[in-house]
Amino acid sequence: MATTKTDPKLALTANGAKKSKLYEGLTRDQLIQAYRIIYTSRRIDDREILLKRQQKIYFQMSGAGHEGIGTAAGLALKAGYDWFYPYYRDRALCLALGVKPYDMFLQGVGAADDPSSGGRQMPSHWSYPSLHIVTQSSPTGSQILQAVGCAEAGRYLARHPKAAEIPASSSKDYRQFKNVSFQGDEVTYVSLGDGTSSEGEFWEAMNAAALGKLPVIFCVEDNGYAISVPVEVQTAGGSISRLVSGFPNFHFEEVDGTYPMASYAALQRATRYCREGHGPAFVHAHVIRPYSHSLSDDERLYRPDAERERDAQRDPVTRTQMFLLREGILDEKGINQLEKEVEAELQTAVDAALEALPPAPESVTRFVYSPDLDPASSTFDTQAVAPEAPVDGKKPAGKTMADLITMTLRDEMQRDERIVIFGEDVADCSREEYLKRKLVKGKGGVFKLTFGLQNEFGNDRVFNAPLAEAAIVGRATGMATRGLKPVVEIQFFDYIWPAMMQIRDELSVIRWRSNNGFSCPVVIRVAIGGYLTGGAIYHSQCGESIFTHIPGLRVVFPSNSQDAAGLLRTAIRCDDPVLFLEHKRLYRESFGRAAYPGPDYMIPFGKAKVVHPGTDLTVITYGAVVPRALQAAQKLEREQGVKVELIDLRCLNPFDWDTIAVSVAKTNRALVAYEDTLSWGYGAEIAARIADQLFDQLDAPVRRVAAKDVFVAYQPILEDAILPQPNDLFLAMKELSEY
Ligand SMILES: Cc1ncc(C[n+]2csc(CCOP(=O)(O)OP(=O)(O)O)c2C)c(N)n1
Ligand SMILES: [Mg+2]
C-alpha cells in the first residue's frame, strides 16, 4: 500500500485565498469552524488547569498540541454514524463531534449529570453514546482491540441485517435492551499516543484489522514523548510509520498533525479508503505536547527549554490563526470576536458546572450489572423437558457435559443470529474449501465442543482467531458494545492472563464506568482445572477467585451436564459479561451425565443445588470437587452414619448465600472445599461470611480443604498429593463431624 506524505507548506502555497477556493477540501467557513474548535479546546484546558489549581476539580489531562489532527478527524468523520475510540488527548476531536464544553467541565467537577460517567471517571475519559464515542479508560491502548471488534460488528450486521432486529422471541433476553444500529460504509476511528504503540494490544489489533480488511482508522498522535520517555527509546528506529509499513491491506498516511488542513486531507483519504471497503488505514500524525504530560508532571525535568521552544513554533492554535489571517479568511477583528465568543461560552459553562450537583453516595452500586435483566431472577428459571422415553425398557445413555454444551451452543445460535463464536481452533476448518469438498471432517476446538458449528452456521459466525487472548476478549468486547453476543473461548484457563487487562479493566467495568451508557455482555468459555494425570503446571490451573473478585463479572462453574446446559443458556441470554468455567476433567466424566434438557432450559445464577441432603455437617463446594466430595460423604455415612449435606454452588458470582445459611443453621458445622490453592482462595470468602454471619449457629470452627499452595505438578503422584482427593475430604469431614 502506498504511503501518502502531505507536506503542509506545499499544501498551503498551492491554495489561494479566493472565497470559493477549498483549502485541502475545507471551505472558508469550515476553517473558521476548525479554528473555533482548536481555540475552544485549548482554552478549556487552560480553564481546567486554573480550576485544578483552585482545587475546584480533581484532575486534569490536556489535549494541547493535538488539536489540529483531532479537529480534522471530527470534520472528516460523522458523529452518530461512524464510531470513535478516542484517547485522553482528543478533546478537540470530541468538540468537533459535538460534545459541549459544559459537558467537559461536568467531568472535571465529577457531577452527577456528567454524561460520560456521572462522576465515576477522570476528566478526558470520553463517553457519549449518541455521538458513538465509546467509553474510554485509562490503560494505554486497551481501546484499540475494541475498536477492531466494533468494526467487525458493523460488518457482521451489514451482512446479517436480520440480527439487528429485536424478535418477539427475545422478550426474555438481552436483545430487548440493545438497540442495534449500523451503516454499510461506517468507519471506526481509534487514536493512541506514540508510546502506546509499544503495547502488544496495538500490534494484535493491527494484525486483526489487516487480516479482516476492516474499516478502522488507527491514528497515532505522535508528540515524541510518553510522559518522560522519548520516541527513540520507545519505538525501534524512532518511526512507528516505518515499523508498521509491512502490514498488508493498509492505507498509510504520515502528516503534520498540527495543521488541520493537511490533517483533514490525510484523514479524508484514509476515510475514503475505509468506506470503500479496501481495508484499514494508519495515520501517523506528528503533533506537539506544549504542556507537561499532566498536571502531576513537570516536563522541565527532562526537556530543555530549547526543545520546548522549538515545539512552540508548531503550536496548532497560533499556526491556524496565522493561516486564517494570511489567507484573509478572518482579520484581526474577526479573530478577536471569535475568541471573545468562546471565552464567554466557557465562562457560562464553568459557572454552571461549578453549581452542578455531585452524585449521591448511595448511587455507587448502580450499574455494576444490568439494571434491566437479573440473571438470578425467575425469568431464568425454566423446567427441563422430560427425557426421551426408555426404548425396550433401557434408559437412554446420558449425555456428557461436552455434548450438552455443544447442543446448547447450537440451539442458541439457531435462536439468536447475534451470537458469534471465535477463539483458538474453535472452527471446524479455516480453509473452508476442505470442508466443502469433504476432504476433512473438521476440528471444532481442542476439546471439540464447537465441532460442527462452523459447518452448520458458516464462518461468519464461527471462526478461528489469531493466537492472542487479549485480542479475543478485546474484540468480543467491541462487538458486544455494538449489540452482538460473542461467545468466545479461551482454550485453557492457564492462558487467560494476556486477556486480564481486557477482562478486569474493560469488559467488567464498561457499564459501570459509563453510568450505563454502554454494556458488553460477552460470554467467555474457559476450560479449567486439573485431576488430569499429566496436566502439569500449565494445563491444570484454577484461579476462579481472581475473577470473582472483579465487580461486574458473573462467574459460573458447573459440575454436571444438565447444569452446564442450563447455566450456559442463562449466560448467553443475560445482559452481563460472564466467565463460564468448564472443568476439563468433567467434560466426558461418567458422573453427572444427563439427557438434553431442551432448547429453553435455564438455571438462574446464584442458585446452589443440594447434591446430598444431610443433618450433621454442611460441605460447600463446586466443580470437580463435587463428585469427590460426594464419594467422601457417602463413605462417611456408610461407615460412621454421619449425614453430610453437600451443596454444589454451581455459580460463584453471585453465589447462593441463603442455601448455605439454611444448611449451616441445621447442621451447625461447615466445611468449604475447592480445587484451587488454599490461601486467599474462593473458600476464604465463604468461610469468612459464615464466621461473621452464622457465628451463633456454629458448634465447630469453619474448615477448608483445598489444594496445597503450589502449582500442579506433572508426575501423577505429585498431582495427587497437591490436589484435594476424596480421602482428604473424607478425613476433614470426619474430623469436623467429631469436633
Ligand atoms: C497500561 C498502562 N501503562 C501505564 C500507564 C501510565 N501512563 C499514562 S499515559 C502514559 C504515557 C502515554 O504516552 P503516549 O502513548 O505517547 O501518549 P501521550 O500521553 O504522549 O499523548 C503512561 C505511561 C497507563 N495509563 N496504562
Ligand atoms: Mg506521546
Side-chain angles (χ1 to χ4, degrees):
M1 289 297 124
T3 297
T4 311
K5 286 202 184 194
T6 306
D7 182 337
K9 282 180 236 89
L10 281 180
L12 285 178
T13 47
N15 285 311
K18 284 197 204 114
K19 260 194 168 231
S20 58
K21 194 124 197 178
L22 292 179
Y23 300 82
E24 297 281 11
L26 290 170
T27 63
R28 293 161 72 91
D29 282 350
Q30 281 176 308
L31 278 171
I32 295 169
Q33 168 68 356
Y35 181 64
R36 183 182 288 272
I37 293 164
I38 289 170
Y39 184 76
T40 304
S41 181
R42 182 66 59 87
R43 294 300 294 148
I44 293 176
D45 278 326
D46 293 339
R47 291 304 296 252
E48 280 193 357
I49 289 167
L50 201 65
L51 289 166
K52 171 74 177 76
R53 298 215 160 105
Q54 295 167 338
Q55 298 184 1
K56 291 181 175 161
I57 65 171
Y58 314 97
F59 197 79
Q60 209 279 329
M61 284 301 285
S62 94
H66 293 230
E67 297 97 338
I69 185 73
T71 301
L75 295 175
L77 292 152
K78 294 187 247 181
Y81 185 101
D82 297 311
W83 288 82
F84 301 90
Y85 287 75
Y87 86 119
Y88 48 80
R89 301 249 186 254
D90 284 321
R91 187 186 300 290
L93 167 65
C94 290
L95 289 169
L97 291 174
V99 180
K100 299 281 170 264
Y102 172 62
D103 291 337
M104 294 189 175
F105 290 121
L106 285 181
Q107 275 193 312
V109 298
D113 287 342
D114 149 34
S116 281
S117 80
R120 291 172 175 191
Q121 288 229 82
M122 288 174 160
S124 298
H125 287 52
W126 322 110
S127 175
Y128 302 97
S130 65
L131 301 172
H132 290 183
I133 298 174
V134 180
T135 170
Q136 294 303 300
S137 62
S138 297
T140 50
S142 54
Q143 76 278 21
I144 316 172
L145 286 164
Q146 292 168 33
V148 170
C150 171
E152 286 177 285
R155 186 162 68 190
Y156 180 86
L157 290 163
R159 288 180 181 167
H160 300 260
K162 276 197 131 355
E165 293 169 12
I166 304 181
S169 65
S170 71
S171 63
K172 287 180 178 168
D173 74 34
Y174 73 97
R175 283 176 292 181
Q176 19 163 5
F177 309 107
K178 276 279 187 194
N179 282 322
V180 172
S181 70
F182 64 97
Q183 310 290 339
D185 64 349
E186 65 180 51
V187 171
T188 301
Y189 178 88
V190 59
S191 51
L192 55 137
D194 46 296
T196 299
S197 69
S198 299
E199 293 283 1
E201 292 193 7
F202 165 73
W203 297 93
E204 291 181 19
M206 291 286 287
N207 188 41
L211 280 166
K213 286 191 170 186
L214 292 165
V216 183
I217 298 178
F218 295 79
C219 182
V220 171
E221 299 177 22
D222 183 352
N223 57 20
Y225 277 93
I227 308 186
S228 70
V229 182
V231 66
E232 71 274 15
V233 176
Q234 191 77 244
T235 305
S239 166
I240 189 64
S241 276
R242 209 175 312 137
L243 287 193
V244 300
S245 62
F247 273 105
N249 303 325
F250 263 86
H251 172 83
F252 294 104
E253 294 280 349
E254 187 168 1
V255 66
D256 185 335
T258 62
Y259 277 104
M261 297 70 75
S263 299
Y264 179 76
L267 281 159
Q268 280 282 68
R269 288 189 291 270
T271 305
R272 198 175 317 123
Y273 183 84
C274 291
R275 284 214 202 288
E276 287 172 0
H278 303 301
F282 185 85
V283 178
H284 182 184
H286 293 277
V287 296
I288 57 162
R289 197 192 70 187
Y291 299 168
S292 291
H293 171 74
S294 72
L295 275 197
S296 316
D297 174 46
D298 179 0
E299 67 172 0
R300 287 169 305 186
L301 297 175
Y302 53 87
R303 295 185 81 185
D305 288 346
E307 186 184 302
R308 294 165 58 230
E309 279 155 20
R310 232 181 5 256
D311 257 17
Q313 306 295 316
R314 296 175 53 225
D315 193 303
V317 178
T318 42
R319 266 193 164 171
T320 314
Q321 187 191 93
M322 294 309 291
F323 178 81
L324 294 181
L325 288 168
R326 214 168 45 239
E327 295 294 317
I329 296 169
L330 276 184
D331 57 13
E332 218 169 298
K333 213 169 125 218
I335 297 273
N336 283 340
Q337 177 62 25
L338 180 152
E339 293 181 355
K340 245 173 81 183
E341 284 166 18
V342 171
E343 298 298 345
E345 185 193 358
L346 297 193
Q347 189 58 52
T348 311
V350 169
D351 291 345
L354 290 175
E355 295 292 309
L357 294 176
E362 57 275 17
S363 69
V364 290
T365 52
R366 288 185 78 198
F367 310 131
V368 176
Y369 301 103
S370 168
D372 304 308
L373 202 52
D374 178 3
S377 68
S378 58
T379 303
F380 294 91
D381 199 352
T382 61
Q383 290 301 307
V385 296
E388 297 154 38
V391 183
D392 302 335
K394 272 194 229 145
K395 250 177 97 178
K399 299 231 180 301
T400 64
M401 185 191 278
D403 292 335
L404 292 200
I405 288 174
T406 308
M407 291 170 83
T408 306
L409 289 172
R410 179 178 294 122
D411 277 352
E412 286 305 293
M413 288 193 82
Q414 200 94 56
R415 178 181 177 275
D416 179 358
E417 207 180 344
R418 293 191 192 179
I419 297 174
V420 292
I421 288 182
F422 63 101
E424 293 153 17
D425 300 287
V426 300
D428 289 317
C429 181
S430 289
R431 294 180 176 163
E432 246 190 326
E433 70 272 17
Y434 294 169
L435 288 174
K436 280 194 187 129
R437 290 163 58 201
K438 300 209 178 333
L439 299 176
V440 297
K441 199 163 146 250
K443 184 168 176 73
V446 294
F447 296 102
K448 302 210 169 11
L449 270 73
T450 47
F451 176 71
L453 298 180
Q454 180 201 352
N455 242 327
E456 191 170 338
F457 297 101
N459 62 353
D460 262 10
R461 297 192 63 194
V462 183
F463 52 92
N464 286 327
L467 205 170
E469 287 76 11
I472 292 169
V473 176
R475 288 165 62 189
T477 302
M479 291 180 193
T481 306
R482 295 287 305 274
L484 294 189
K485 174 65 77 166
V487 182
V488 296
E489 183 176 303
I490 295 291
Q491 201 163 71
F492 292 91
F493 182 88
D494 316 65
Y495 311 127
I496 200 169
W497 312 116
M500 197 60 181
M501 177 75 91
Q502 286 294 334
I503 294 173
R504 184 177 167 93
D505 281 359
E506 298 291 337
L507 178 77
S508 308
V509 71
I510 276 178
R511 187 191 290 276
W512 187 84
R513 78 176 187 221
S514 65
N515 213 11
N516 209 30
F518 291 95
S519 64
C520 48
V522 173
V523 179
I524 308 175
R525 295 181 39 246
V526 192
I528 192 170
Y531 298 111
L532 301 178
T533 317
I537 306 168
Y538 303 108
H539 295 84
S540 305
Q541 289 176 27
C542 281
E544 55 277 7
S545 64
I546 296 168
F547 294 89
T548 52
H549 194 62
I550 302 177
L553 185 66
R554 308 291 191 183
V555 182
V556 182
F557 202 154
S559 72
N560 61 77
S561 302
Q562 184 165 329
D563 286 354
L567 290 165
L568 180 58
R569 186 164 284 105
T570 302
I572 291 172
R573 294 191 190 178
C574 87
D575 201 19
D576 296 322
V578 181
L579 187 71
F580 192 83
L581 301 171
E582 301 170 2
H583 202 290
K584 299 182 282 272
R585 180 61 203 259
L586 297 176
Y587 271 152
R588 293 181 169 84
E589 192 97 318
S590 48
F591 170 82
R593 292 189 184 192
Y596 185 54
D600 281 310
Y601 179 59
M602 288 184 284
I603 299 172
F605 286 175
K607 297 279 178 291
K609 181 154 100 184
V610 176
V611 177
H612 184 270
T615 47
D616 302 328
L617 163 68
T618 300
V619 174
I620 301 133
T621 190
Y622 53 91
V625 180
V626 172
R628 286 158 181 80
L630 183 60
Q631 208 181 317
Q634 286 165 340
K635 185 175 171 202
L636 193 62
E637 187 164 348
R638 249 188 347 261
E639 293 181 3
Q640 317 269 326
V642 173
K643 291 192 167 58
V644 170
E645 179 137 297
L646 181 59
I647 296 174
D648 177 0
L649 287 177
R650 310 197 285 191
C651 183
L652 307 185
N653 182 29
F655 77 96
D656 188 346
W657 173 248
D658 291 347
T659 296
I660 295 173
V662 167
S663 180
V664 174
K666 177 172 61 177
T667 65
N668 313 113
R669 285 173 166 76
L671 177 74
V672 194
Y674 51 106
E675 180 183 333
D676 199 5
T677 44
L678 177 80
S679 303
W680 318 104
Y682 186 77
E685 174 68 22
I686 306 282
R689 291 240 193 148
I690 295 172
D692 179 13
Q693 292 176 35
L694 304 175
F695 183 73
D696 295 340
Q697 315 275 359
L698 291 172
D699 287 343
V702 184
R703 288 268 156 84
R704 286 172 294 159
V705 178
K708 298 203 168 46
D709 286 338
V710 294
F711 283 87
V712 177
Y714 169 70
Q715 162 59 245
I717 293 173
L718 299 182
E719 185 188 85
D720 279 0
I722 291 163
L723 295 180
Q725 304 300 328
N727 197 46
D728 301 320
L729 294 155
F730 172 80
L731 293 175
M733 290 178 195
K734 182 168 175 294
E735 195 186 309
L736 197 54
S737 69
E738 289 165 355
Y739 184 91

